[in-house]
Amino acid sequence: MWSPIVVKKPELSKIQLEGLFSGKIPAIILRSFVDDAYCETVTRRIIDSNHDDFQNGKLNHIGPFLMAYSTKKKEYFEKAQFAKKTFDEIFFDLEDPSKKIFRILSGLFPKHSMRIAQEYQNNYSPYVIRIHKNGKSIPVHKDRVSYEGKDYSLSDIAKQLSCILHIQKSEKGGDLIIYKKNWEKSDEKFRNIDFGYGSDLVSSSESSKISNLRVGDLVIINPNNYHEVTTIYGKLSRITLGMFLGFYTKRQEIVAWA
Amino acid sequence: MTDIIWGNGSEVLSGDSFILNVTHRKNGNKNNYSDTEKIKIVSADLPGFPNNQDEWRPEMLKECVIDSFLKCEINERTGEGTILAKVSHSGVGGY
């Protein structure tokens, strides 16, 4: 059975991360990566902040998502700069989630340097906060900056991981499903017009449904594996913070962005 | 309203033209489009492909359109049947 590994922060190992790259495991769940009080404070501040309406108001985001600006680099960096102020307010007096993630990784990759990605004088957005409301779902998709982010300098990374911090749970639904299938360019014939891929693409692939996530959990996946989020139900929005990690093997460097 | 077709690039013919295997057509298109169309790019919004037409090369176009899922917003069809279109990478919006 293809199942995620559930670990506590100090137990995370490099071998487990390698398991994501090799496809041996679908996900690593870092249980209680942040505590309930942290999530409650962040949720309150998110609700009080201004959100970007995205995809004609169908989605609510704080911070830009690079893939939505694949050919609009200038606009992406402007939005990233603008979002910084909001992120500073949301995480005021709290440890920044990217620093928490870097701290854990530095134990596993002591020779690697870690930073938020930069391109010349421009800072990439460190993460994106997604507020998904009742009725929303995320179709089958992959995230692969080396394909869709060719205009950006970090598209030359060797490997990519995705970290998702669960800040608020929806009452029902919002489960993460990961498929044991990696993206190949020939899969592009299964693309949906607006976003993602038709479900036929993964219908015969083994999958892992993660429905036991708690507030404060951090999920790490290989985003080149197709994945989706089931429909969200209830008054409470599903609030997550997403951040990608890019690994430069020769340079021994890890960069983060959204 | 502009006619729109979507599909995957299959064969590059020059620095600004290629064959599109059409998979989707906009509801309400004024004209009909076959399953395979020859597209000549009038403007491009493709990751990794320059905006400046003088820089367009067949090798670059190959890299950007072969198998890629593309949106073609149609300007017109020439007498020879080629479609002149604005071509962009479709379906990468986000979530």
Side-chain angles (χ1 to χ4, degrees), chain A residues 109-142:
Chain A
F109 299 92
K111 289 181 180 169
H112 282 60
S113 63
M114 287 166 212
R115 60 179 172 88
I116 303 300
Q118 282 183 314
E119 189 164 333
Y120 301 109
Q121 301 303 314
N122 298 305
N123 292 314
Y124 284 73
S125 187
Y127 28 74
V128 57
I129 293 173
R130 299 188 173 94
I131 304 129
H132 288 150
K133 294 180 179 167
N134 181 41
K136 303 298 177 213
S137 61
I138 304 170
V140 174
H141 69 284
K142 56 88 180 66

Side-chain angles (χ1 to χ4, degrees), chain B residues 10-77:
Chain B
S10 68
E11 186 190 345
V12 167
L13 306 170
S14 69
D16 66 357
S17 62
F18 65 98
I19 301 293
L20 184 79
N21 292 332
V22 180
T23 56
H24 300 73
R25 297 157 180 87
K26 187 181 83 173
N27 287 334
N29 275 350
K30 292 186 291 286
N31 297 305
N32 293 322
Y33 300 93
S34 64
D35 289 345
T36 305
E37 293 283 3
K38 182 179 167 185
I39 308 289
K40 182 175 164 63
I41 305 171
V42 291
S43 72
D45 187 20
L46 299 166
F49 196 66
N51 291 328
N52 182 358
Q53 204 158 346
D54 294 339
E55 297 172 32
W56 295 356
R57 303 282 180 273
E59 307 75 47
M60 274 181 204
L61 190 60
K62 221 174 193 175
E63 187 67 30
C64 293
V65 302
I66 299 290
D67 290 334
S68 296
F69 188 56
L70 305 164
K71 177 184 183 182
C72 297
E73 295 168 80
I74 294 156
N75 281 11
E76 61 177 303
R77 192 189 281 277

